[in-house]
Amino acid sequence: MLKLINAGLGRTGTTSLKVALERLGYGPCYHMFDIVGSEERLGQWEKIVCDGRLPDWKAVFDGYTSAVDGPSAIYYRQLMEAFPEAKMILTVRDAERWYRSTYDTLFQFALKSEENPPPAGSRQARTYRVTNTMTWSGLFDGRFSDKEHAIEVFHRHNQEVIRSVGADNLLVYDVKQGWEPLCAYLGVDVPSEEFPHANDSASMRNFLRQGFGVAGPAAAGR
């Protein structure tokens, strides 16, 4: 049963938040990596995103306590309805840095898949179909390469989350703020160790290269 949902888009520190939440007792935490690494979960999201099937959300997130990144950001309204008691977080970051980080990592996977279509039915092809339908052609209207448009969508998404959720059940959070605001919001003690910093742009490019053969341009970010 989900107790916490993050509506922040990918490349806003979602992997760092995942690690932090699991440290604070909100694990396992559902992440886009959980879909990419599982035939069953990838198949579930193909039906939801590409075929438009209405899922049993409790079954989709069975065994998970929190959800960040990927689908949770796009489907946050549906998840709020399915899990009305869940706390909400919106991870944010500087828009320019968010765009550069996303362009140099995740968007390179999309570009490669468009330029050199992977074999039909392959994991890369299926993953691209889901992410393209949900994000690149969906949220960003096929115009992510237009920086001004993409940043406008980024800001609009964040504002819609703030309006939809309401201040009484939402933490607007930059992971650079560390443990204190997150722990205060969740009502838990601050750990003694440093806040995790996971999945920067170099790590993401390495993941894409190993998993899908995608190598994007160098950039700093998360």
Side-chain angles (χ1 to χ4, degrees), residues 155-198:
H155 286 309
R156 185 169 66 237
H157 171 83
N158 290 345
Q159 290 303 313
E160 287 176 353
V161 171
I162 291 170
R163 286 195 299 268
S164 299
V165 178
D168 58 335
N169 190 41
L170 178 66
L171 173 66
V172 179
Y173 177 62
D174 189 321
V175 294
K176 291 191 298 183
Q177 296 173 282
W179 289 116
E180 283 73 14
L182 178 62
C183 292
Y185 177 63
L186 298 178
V188 298
D189 293 335
V190 175
S192 58
E193 68 261 30
E194 290 186 3
F195 189 86
H197 296 285

mmCIF file of all heavy atoms in Angstrom, residues 155-198:
data_model
loop_
_atom_site.group_PDB
_atom_site.id
_atom_site.type_symbol
_atom_site.label_atom_id
_atom_site.label_comp_id
_atom_site.label_asym_id
_atom_site.label_seq_id
_atom_site.Cartn_x
_atom_site.Cartn_y
_atom_site.Cartn_z
ATOM 1 N N HIS A 155 7.418 23.700 -15.754
ATOM 2 C CA HIS A 155 6.818 24.627 -14.789
ATOM 3 C C HIS A 155 5.315 24.396 -14.653
ATOM 4 O O HIS A 155 4.771 24.443 -13.537
ATOM 5 C CB HIS A 155 7.084 26.071 -15.219
ATOM 6 C CG HIS A 155 8.490 26.524 -15.008
ATOM 7 N ND1 HIS A 155 9.149 26.392 -13.809
ATOM 8 C CD2 HIS A 155 9.372 27.135 -15.862
ATOM 9 C CE1 HIS A 155 10.368 26.893 -13.915
ATOM 10 N NE2 HIS A 155 10.526 27.337 -15.145
ATOM 11 N N ARG A 156 4.643 24.160 -15.771
ATOM 12 C CA ARG A 156 3.200 23.947 -15.732
ATOM 13 C C ARG A 156 2.851 22.691 -14.935
ATOM 14 O O ARG A 156 1.894 22.699 -14.139
ATOM 15 C CB ARG A 156 2.640 23.859 -17.152
ATOM 16 C CG ARG A 156 1.109 23.748 -17.180
ATOM 17 C CD ARG A 156 0.593 23.924 -18.587
ATOM 18 N NE ARG A 156 0.987 22.855 -19.482
ATOM 19 C CZ ARG A 156 1.670 23.026 -20.616
ATOM 20 N NH1 ARG A 156 2.052 24.238 -20.987
ATOM 21 N NH2 ARG A 156 1.975 21.990 -21.375
ATOM 22 N N HIS A 157 3.621 21.636 -15.147
ATOM 23 C CA HIS A 157 3.385 20.402 -14.386
ATOM 24 C C HIS A 157 3.504 20.665 -12.894
ATOM 25 O O HIS A 157 2.632 20.256 -12.109
ATOM 26 C CB HIS A 157 4.383 19.325 -14.814
ATOM 27 C CG HIS A 157 4.349 18.102 -13.941
ATOM 28 N ND1 HIS A 157 3.430 17.090 -14.114
ATOM 29 C CD2 HIS A 157 5.110 17.742 -12.865
ATOM 30 C CE1 HIS A 157 3.622 16.160 -13.192
ATOM 31 N NE2 HIS A 157 4.638 16.530 -12.422
ATOM 32 N N ASN A 158 4.567 21.349 -12.497
ATOM 33 C CA ASN A 158 4.779 21.610 -11.075
ATOM 34 C C ASN A 158 3.651 22.446 -10.483
ATOM 35 O O ASN A 158 3.170 22.173 -9.372
ATOM 36 C CB ASN A 158 6.120 22.307 -10.866
ATOM 37 C CG ASN A 158 7.304 21.392 -11.142
ATOM 38 O OD1 ASN A 158 7.151 20.166 -11.219
ATOM 39 N ND2 ASN A 158 8.476 21.975 -11.297
ATOM 40 N N GLN A 159 3.207 23.462 -11.226
ATOM 41 C CA GLN A 159 2.121 24.299 -10.733
ATOM 42 C C GLN A 159 0.808 23.529 -10.645
ATOM 43 O O GLN A 159 0.010 23.728 -9.711
ATOM 44 C CB GLN A 159 1.956 25.539 -11.623
ATOM 45 C CG GLN A 159 3.095 26.531 -11.498
ATOM 46 C CD GLN A 159 3.300 27.000 -10.067
ATOM 47 O OE1 GLN A 159 2.341 27.362 -9.376
ATOM 48 N NE2 GLN A 159 4.544 26.991 -9.605
ATOM 49 N N GLU A 160 0.573 22.632 -11.581
ATOM 50 C CA GLU A 160 -0.644 21.830 -11.547
ATOM 51 C C GLU A 160 -0.641 20.891 -10.349
ATOM 52 O O GLU A 160 -1.681 20.669 -9.713
ATOM 53 C CB GLU A 160 -0.800 21.046 -12.847
ATOM 54 C CG GLU A 160 -1.199 21.924 -14.028
ATOM 55 C CD GLU A 160 -1.261 21.154 -15.337
ATOM 56 O OE1 GLU A 160 -0.857 19.967 -15.348
ATOM 57 O OE2 GLU A 160 -1.698 21.748 -16.346
ATOM 58 N N VAL A 161 0.523 20.342 -10.030
ATOM 59 C CA VAL A 161 0.622 19.490 -8.846
ATOM 60 C C VAL A 161 0.297 20.302 -7.595
ATOM 61 O O VAL A 161 -0.490 19.872 -6.739
ATOM 62 C CB VAL A 161 2.031 18.864 -8.729
ATOM 63 C CG1 VAL A 161 2.194 18.162 -7.383
ATOM 64 C CG2 VAL A 161 2.288 17.888 -9.862
ATOM 65 N N ILE A 162 0.878 21.470 -7.489
ATOM 66 C CA ILE A 162 0.649 22.325 -6.307
ATOM 67 C C ILE A 162 -0.835 22.670 -6.176
ATOM 68 O O ILE A 162 -1.407 22.620 -5.077
ATOM 69 C CB ILE A 162 1.518 23.589 -6.402
ATOM 70 C CG1 ILE A 162 3.004 23.223 -6.237
ATOM 71 C CG2 ILE A 162 1.101 24.610 -5.340
ATOM 72 C CD1 ILE A 162 3.959 24.351 -6.559
ATOM 73 N N ARG A 163 -1.478 23.000 -7.299
ATOM 74 C CA ARG A 163 -2.909 23.335 -7.251
ATOM 75 C C ARG A 163 -3.765 22.112 -6.939
ATOM 76 O O ARG A 163 -4.751 22.212 -6.204
ATOM 77 C CB ARG A 163 -3.346 23.949 -8.585
ATOM 78 C CG ARG A 163 -2.875 25.374 -8.813
ATOM 79 C CD ARG A 163 -3.636 26.011 -9.952
ATOM 80 N NE ARG A 163 -3.427 25.294 -11.204
ATOM 81 C CZ ARG A 163 -2.484 25.583 -12.084
ATOM 82 N NH1 ARG A 163 -1.643 26.583 -11.844
ATOM 83 N NH2 ARG A 163 -2.358 24.900 -13.199
ATOM 84 N N SER A 164 -3.396 20.966 -7.497
ATOM 85 C CA SER A 164 -4.220 19.769 -7.350
ATOM 86 C C SER A 164 -4.131 19.150 -5.970
ATOM 87 O O SER A 164 -5.123 18.633 -5.443
ATOM 88 C CB SER A 164 -3.805 18.716 -8.392
ATOM 89 O OG SER A 164 -3.987 19.188 -9.709
ATOM 90 N N VAL A 165 -2.946 19.194 -5.383
ATOM 91 C CA VAL A 165 -2.731 18.498 -4.121
ATOM 92 C C VAL A 165 -3.125 19.370 -2.935
ATOM 93 O O VAL A 165 -3.807 18.922 -2.013
ATOM 94 C CB VAL A 165 -1.262 18.037 -3.987
ATOM 95 C CG1 VAL A 165 -1.038 17.357 -2.645
ATOM 96 C CG2 VAL A 165 -0.896 17.094 -5.135
ATOM 97 N N GLY A 166 -2.708 20.599 -2.912
ATOM 98 C CA GLY A 166 -2.992 21.463 -1.774
ATOM 99 C C GLY A 166 -1.862 21.435 -0.755
ATOM 100 O O GLY A 166 -1.218 20.398 -0.542
ATOM 101 N N ALA A 167 -1.632 22.562 -0.123
ATOM 102 C CA ALA A 167 -0.469 22.730 0.750
ATOM 103 C C ALA A 167 -0.501 21.843 1.987
ATOM 104 O O ALA A 167 0.543 21.538 2.558
ATOM 105 C CB ALA A 167 -0.361 24.194 1.177
ATOM 106 N N ASP A 168 -1.688 21.410 2.407
ATOM 107 C CA ASP A 168 -1.770 20.639 3.648
ATOM 108 C C ASP A 168 -1.226 19.228 3.504
ATOM 109 O O ASP A 168 -0.959 18.561 4.510
ATOM 110 C CB ASP A 168 -3.216 20.589 4.147
ATOM 111 C CG ASP A 168 -4.162 19.979 3.124
ATOM 112 O OD1 ASP A 168 -3.840 20.033 1.916
ATOM 113 O OD2 ASP A 168 -5.224 19.472 3.520
ATOM 114 N N ASN A 169 -1.057 18.740 2.276
ATOM 115 C CA ASN A 169 -0.558 17.376 2.083
ATOM 116 C C ASN A 169 0.513 17.328 1.007
ATOM 117 O O ASN A 169 0.590 16.366 0.252
ATOM 118 C CB ASN A 169 -1.705 16.419 1.718
ATOM 119 C CG ASN A 169 -1.267 14.965 1.755
ATOM 120 O OD1 ASN A 169 -0.537 14.548 2.657
ATOM 121 N ND2 ASN A 169 -1.700 14.181 0.778
ATOM 122 N N LEU A 170 1.336 18.371 0.930
ATOM 123 C CA LEU A 170 2.357 18.410 -0.124
ATOM 124 C C LEU A 170 3.636 19.040 0.400
ATOM 125 O O LEU A 170 3.607 20.121 0.993
ATOM 126 C CB LEU A 170 1.855 19.214 -1.330
ATOM 127 C CG LEU A 170 2.846 19.370 -2.487
ATOM 128 C CD1 LEU A 170 3.124 18.017 -3.147
ATOM 129 C CD2 LEU A 170 2.330 20.372 -3.517
ATOM 130 N N LEU A 171 4.752 18.363 0.150
ATOM 131 C CA LEU A 171 6.077 18.925 0.394
ATOM 132 C C LEU A 171 6.713 19.241 -0.952
ATOM 133 O O LEU A 171 6.941 18.336 -1.758
ATOM 134 C CB LEU A 171 6.960 17.933 1.155
ATOM 135 C CG LEU A 171 8.431 18.353 1.330
ATOM 136 C CD1 LEU A 171 8.534 19.593 2.226
ATOM 137 C CD2 LEU A 171 9.272 17.195 1.885
ATOM 138 N N VAL A 172 6.946 20.517 -1.222
ATOM 139 C CA VAL A 172 7.699 20.930 -2.410
ATOM 140 C C VAL A 172 9.166 20.915 -1.996
ATOM 141 O O VAL A 172 9.569 21.652 -1.085
ATOM 142 C CB VAL A 172 7.266 22.320 -2.897
ATOM 143 C CG1 VAL A 172 8.076 22.731 -4.116
ATOM 144 C CG2 VAL A 172 5.768 22.327 -3.210
ATOM 145 N N TYR A 173 9.959 20.085 -2.674
ATOM 146 C CA TYR A 173 11.242 19.697 -2.100
ATOM 147 C C TYR A 173 12.340 19.595 -3.147
ATOM 148 O O TYR A 173 12.168 18.955 -4.182
ATOM 149 C CB TYR A 173 11.039 18.342 -1.416
ATOM 150 C CG TYR A 173 12.247 17.701 -0.803
ATOM 151 C CD1 TYR A 173 12.949 18.313 0.229
ATOM 152 C CD2 TYR A 173 12.672 16.455 -1.245
ATOM 153 C CE1 TYR A 173 14.049 17.700 0.810
ATOM 154 C CE2 TYR A 173 13.768 15.834 -0.678
ATOM 155 C CZ TYR A 173 14.457 16.463 0.353
ATOM 156 O OH TYR A 173 15.549 15.865 0.916
ATOM 157 N N ASP A 174 13.459 20.232 -2.869
ATOM 158 C CA ASP A 174 14.680 20.079 -3.645
ATOM 159 C C ASP A 174 15.614 19.200 -2.820
ATOM 160 O O ASP A 174 15.888 19.510 -1.651
ATOM 161 C CB ASP A 174 15.321 21.442 -3.912
ATOM 162 C CG ASP A 174 16.485 21.374 -4.896
ATOM 163 O OD1 ASP A 174 17.271 20.395 -4.829
ATOM 164 O OD2 ASP A 174 16.630 22.298 -5.715
ATOM 165 N N VAL A 175 16.115 18.117 -3.411
ATOM 166 C CA VAL A 175 16.942 17.190 -2.630
ATOM 167 C C VAL A 175 18.203 17.866 -2.096
ATOM 168 O O VAL A 175 18.827 17.357 -1.150
ATOM 169 C CB VAL A 175 17.307 15.929 -3.447
ATOM 170 C CG1 VAL A 175 16.068 15.110 -3.754
ATOM 171 C CG2 VAL A 175 18.070 16.287 -4.714
ATOM 172 N N LYS A 176 18.586 19.002 -2.657
ATOM 173 C CA LYS A 176 19.730 19.738 -2.122
ATOM 174 C C LYS A 176 19.462 20.213 -0.692
ATOM 175 O O LYS A 176 20.395 20.545 0.035
ATOM 176 C CB LYS A 176 20.062 20.942 -3.008
ATOM 177 C CG LYS A 176 20.615 20.591 -4.373
ATOM 178 C CD LYS A 176 21.154 21.804 -5.089
ATOM 179 C CE LYS A 176 20.082 22.848 -5.340
ATOM 180 N NZ LYS A 176 20.596 24.005 -6.117
ATOM 181 N N GLN A 177 18.202 20.249 -0.298
ATOM 182 C CA GLN A 177 17.852 20.670 1.064
ATOM 183 C C GLN A 177 18.198 19.616 2.112
ATOM 184 O O GLN A 177 18.199 19.908 3.304
ATOM 185 C CB GLN A 177 16.359 21.002 1.141
ATOM 186 C CG GLN A 177 15.935 22.185 0.286
ATOM 187 C CD GLN A 177 14.433 22.358 0.272
ATOM 188 O OE1 GLN A 177 13.704 21.650 -0.425
ATOM 189 N NE2 GLN A 177 13.947 23.287 1.074
ATOM 190 N N GLY A 178 18.460 18.398 1.674
ATOM 191 C CA GLY A 178 18.881 17.351 2.596
ATOM 192 C C GLY A 178 17.758 16.748 3.423
ATOM 193 O O GLY A 178 16.585 16.812 3.064
ATOM 194 N N TRP A 179 18.152 16.171 4.543
ATOM 195 C CA TRP A 179 17.213 15.402 5.364
ATOM 196 C C TRP A 179 16.148 16.240 6.063
ATOM 197 O O TRP A 179 15.007 15.801 6.216
ATOM 198 C CB TRP A 179 17.979 14.655 6.456
ATOM 199 C CG TRP A 179 18.831 13.512 6.027
ATOM 200 C CD1 TRP A 179 20.197 13.419 6.127
ATOM 201 C CD2 TRP A 179 18.395 12.259 5.489
ATOM 202 N NE1 TRP A 179 20.630 12.202 5.667
ATOM 203 C CE2 TRP A 179 19.543 11.467 5.272
ATOM 204 C CE3 TRP A 179 17.144 11.732 5.165
ATOM 205 C CZ2 TRP A 179 19.477 10.177 4.758
ATOM 206 C CZ3 TRP A 179 17.068 10.444 4.639
ATOM 207 C CH2 TRP A 179 18.228 9.687 4.435
ATOM 208 N N GLU A 180 16.514 17.429 6.543
ATOM 209 C CA GLU A 180 15.670 18.124 7.522
ATOM 210 C C GLU A 180 14.226 18.355 7.066
ATOM 211 O O GLU A 180 13.289 17.949 7.778
ATOM 212 C CB GLU A 180 16.324 19.445 7.940
ATOM 213 C CG GLU A 180 17.481 19.285 8.919
ATOM 214 C CD GLU A 180 18.742 18.730 8.279
ATOM 215 O OE1 GLU A 180 18.818 18.703 7.019
ATOM 216 O OE2 GLU A 180 19.659 18.328 9.017
ATOM 217 N N PRO A 181 13.981 19.005 5.907
ATOM 218 C CA PRO A 181 12.579 19.224 5.543
ATOM 219 C C PRO A 181 11.830 17.928 5.245
ATOM 220 O O PRO A 181 10.633 17.820 5.545
ATOM 221 C CB PRO A 181 12.668 20.115 4.301
ATOM 222 C CG PRO A 181 14.057 19.949 3.787
ATOM 223 C CD PRO A 181 14.905 19.651 4.966
ATOM 224 N N LEU A 182 12.522 16.950 4.690
ATOM 225 C CA LEU A 182 11.887 15.669 4.394
ATOM 226 C C LEU A 182 11.490 14.959 5.685
ATOM 227 O O LEU A 182 10.345 14.485 5.819
ATOM 228 C CB LEU A 182 12.842 14.794 3.575
ATOM 229 C CG LEU A 182 12.350 13.390 3.212
ATOM 230 C CD1 LEU A 182 11.099 13.463 2.340
ATOM 231 C CD2 LEU A 182 13.458 12.604 2.503
ATOM 232 N N CYS A 183 12.397 14.904 6.637
ATOM 233 C CA CYS A 183 12.103 14.222 7.901
ATOM 234 C C CYS A 183 11.038 14.961 8.704
ATOM 235 O O CYS A 183 10.188 14.337 9.353
ATOM 236 C CB CYS A 183 13.382 14.070 8.715
ATOM 237 S SG CYS A 183 14.583 12.933 7.977
ATOM 238 N N ALA A 184 11.081 16.289 8.670
ATOM 239 C CA ALA A 184 10.059 17.064 9.372
ATOM 240 C C ALA A 184 8.677 16.785 8.792
ATOM 241 O O ALA A 184 7.689 16.636 9.532
ATOM 242 C CB ALA A 184 10.387 18.555 9.291
ATOM 243 N N TYR A 185 8.597 16.701 7.482
ATOM 244 C CA TYR A 185 7.325 16.432 6.808
ATOM 245 C C TYR A 185 6.798 15.044 7.157
ATOM 246 O O TYR A 185 5.593 14.861 7.365
ATOM 247 C CB TYR A 185 7.525 16.576 5.306
ATOM 248 C CG TYR A 185 6.315 16.265 4.468
ATOM 249 C CD1 TYR A 185 5.145 17.009 4.557
ATOM 250 C CD2 TYR A 185 6.345 15.218 3.536
ATOM 251 C CE1 TYR A 185 4.043 16.725 3.765
ATOM 252 C CE2 TYR A 185 5.250 14.928 2.737
ATOM 253 C CZ TYR A 185 4.101 15.682 2.854
ATOM 254 O OH TYR A 185 3.013 15.401 2.069
ATOM 255 N N LEU A 186 7.716 14.073 7.223
ATOM 256 C CA LEU A 186 7.312 12.692 7.487
ATOM 257 C C LEU A 186 7.194 12.396 8.982
ATOM 258 O O LEU A 186 6.684 11.341 9.366
ATOM 259 C CB LEU A 186 8.313 11.725 6.851
ATOM 260 C CG LEU A 186 8.439 11.805 5.321
ATOM 261 C CD1 LEU A 186 9.497 10.825 4.825
ATOM 262 C CD2 LEU A 186 7.099 11.528 4.649
ATOM 263 N N GLY A 187 7.688 13.314 9.817
ATOM 264 C CA GLY A 187 7.612 13.102 11.249
ATOM 265 C C GLY A 187 8.554 12.024 11.749
ATOM 266 O O GLY A 187 8.192 11.247 12.647
ATOM 267 N N VAL A 188 9.753 11.959 11.172
ATOM 268 C CA VAL A 188 10.739 10.956 11.570
ATOM 269 C C VAL A 188 12.044 11.647 11.950
ATOM 270 O O VAL A 188 12.263 12.817 11.619
ATOM 271 C CB VAL A 188 10.991 9.935 10.442
ATOM 272 C CG1 VAL A 188 9.712 9.176 10.105
ATOM 273 C CG2 VAL A 188 11.531 10.626 9.189
ATOM 274 N N ASP A 189 12.904 10.907 12.641
ATOM 275 C CA ASP A 189 14.188 11.457 13.069
ATOM 276 C C ASP A 189 15.137 11.612 11.879
ATOM 277 O O ASP A 189 15.089 10.824 10.918
ATOM 278 C CB ASP A 189 14.838 10.550 14.106
ATOM 279 C CG ASP A 189 14.066 10.521 15.416
ATOM 280 O OD1 ASP A 189 13.358 11.505 15.701
ATOM 281 O OD2 ASP A 189 14.153 9.499 16.129
ATOM 282 N N VAL A 190 16.001 12.599 11.968
ATOM 283 C CA VAL A 190 17.002 12.833 10.934
ATOM 284 C C VAL A 190 18.141 11.831 11.090
ATOM 285 O O VAL A 190 18.730 11.736 12.187
ATOM 286 C CB VAL A 190 17.557 14.268 11.022
ATOM 287 C CG1 VAL A 190 18.683 14.472 10.017
ATOM 288 C CG2 VAL A 190 16.444 15.287 10.789
ATOM 289 N N PRO A 191 18.475 11.070 10.062
ATOM 290 C CA PRO A 191 19.585 10.112 10.161
ATOM 291 C C PRO A 191 20.921 10.818 10.376
ATOM 292 O O PRO A 191 21.086 11.991 10.030
ATOM 293 C CB PRO A 191 19.559 9.403 8.799
ATOM 294 C CG PRO A 191 18.177 9.611 8.274
ATOM 295 C CD PRO A 191 17.775 10.969 8.772
ATOM 296 N N SER A 192 21.877 10.084 10.901
ATOM 297 C CA SER A 192 23.196 10.654 11.173
ATOM 298 C C SER A 192 24.060 10.728 9.916
ATOM 299 O O SER A 192 24.953 11.565 9.822
ATOM 300 C CB SER A 192 23.918 9.826 12.238
ATOM 301 O OG SER A 192 24.044 8.472 11.821
ATOM 302 N N GLU A 193 23.789 9.859 8.939
ATOM 303 C CA GLU A 193 24.608 9.857 7.725
ATOM 304 C C GLU A 193 24.208 10.963 6.761
ATOM 305 O O GLU A 193 23.143 11.560 6.893
ATOM 306 C CB GLU A 193 24.538 8.500 7.019
ATOM 307 C CG GLU A 193 23.173 8.177 6.401
ATOM 308 C CD GLU A 193 22.336 7.282 7.277
ATOM 309 O OE1 GLU A 193 22.482 7.355 8.526
ATOM 310 O OE2 GLU A 193 21.524 6.516 6.735
ATOM 311 N N GLU A 194 25.069 11.222 5.801
ATOM 312 C CA GLU A 194 24.788 12.247 4.798
ATOM 313 C C GLU A 194 23.608 11.834 3.925
ATOM 314 O O GLU A 194 23.361 10.650 3.702
ATOM 315 C CB GLU A 194 26.014 12.488 3.914
ATOM 316 C CG GLU A 194 27.172 13.167 4.605
ATOM 317 C CD GLU A 194 28.287 13.513 3.637
ATOM 318 O OE1 GLU A 194 28.124 13.266 2.413
ATOM 319 O OE2 GLU A 194 29.318 14.039 4.082
ATOM 320 N N PHE A 195 22.906 12.830 3.403
ATOM 321 C CA PHE A 195 21.798 12.560 2.489
ATOM 322 C C PHE A 195 22.347 11.909 1.221
ATOM 323 O O PHE A 195 23.394 12.325 0.710
ATOM 324 C CB PHE A 195 21.081 13.865 2.143
ATOM 325 C CG PHE A 195 19.798 13.672 1.385
ATOM 326 C CD1 PHE A 195 18.611 13.435 2.059
ATOM 327 C CD2 PHE A 195 19.777 13.715 -0.003
ATOM 328 C CE1 PHE A 195 17.417 13.255 1.368
ATOM 329 C CE2 PHE A 195 18.596 13.525 -0.706
ATOM 330 C CZ PHE A 195 17.416 13.294 -0.016
ATOM 331 N N PRO A 196 21.674 10.901 0.684
ATOM 332 C CA PRO A 196 22.197 10.209 -0.500
ATOM 333 C C PRO A 196 22.159 11.083 -1.753
ATOM 334 O O PRO A 196 21.245 11.885 -1.931
ATOM 335 C CB PRO A 196 21.248 9.011 -0.645
ATOM 336 C CG PRO A 196 19.984 9.438 0.037
ATOM 337 C CD PRO A 196 20.419 10.313 1.182
ATOM 338 N N HIS A 197 23.151 10.898 -2.592
ATOM 339 C CA HIS A 197 23.203 11.566 -3.893
ATOM 340 C C HIS A 197 23.423 10.483 -4.942
ATOM 341 O O HIS A 197 24.550 10.057 -5.186
ATOM 342 C CB HIS A 197 24.306 12.618 -3.929
ATOM 343 C CG HIS A 197 24.086 13.737 -2.962
ATOM 344 N ND1 HIS A 197 23.155 14.735 -3.183
ATOM 345 C CD2 HIS A 197 24.638 14.002 -1.742
ATOM 346 C CE1 HIS A 197 23.151 15.580 -2.158
ATOM 347 N NE2 HIS A 197 24.047 15.150 -1.271
ATOM 348 N N ALA A 198 22.323 10.031 -5.522
ATOM 349 C CA ALA A 198 22.358 8.882 -6.422
ATOM 350 C C ALA A 198 21.969 9.270 -7.838
ATOM 351 O O ALA A 198 21.209 10.215 -8.055
ATOM 352 C CB ALA A 198 21.396 7.801 -5.908
#
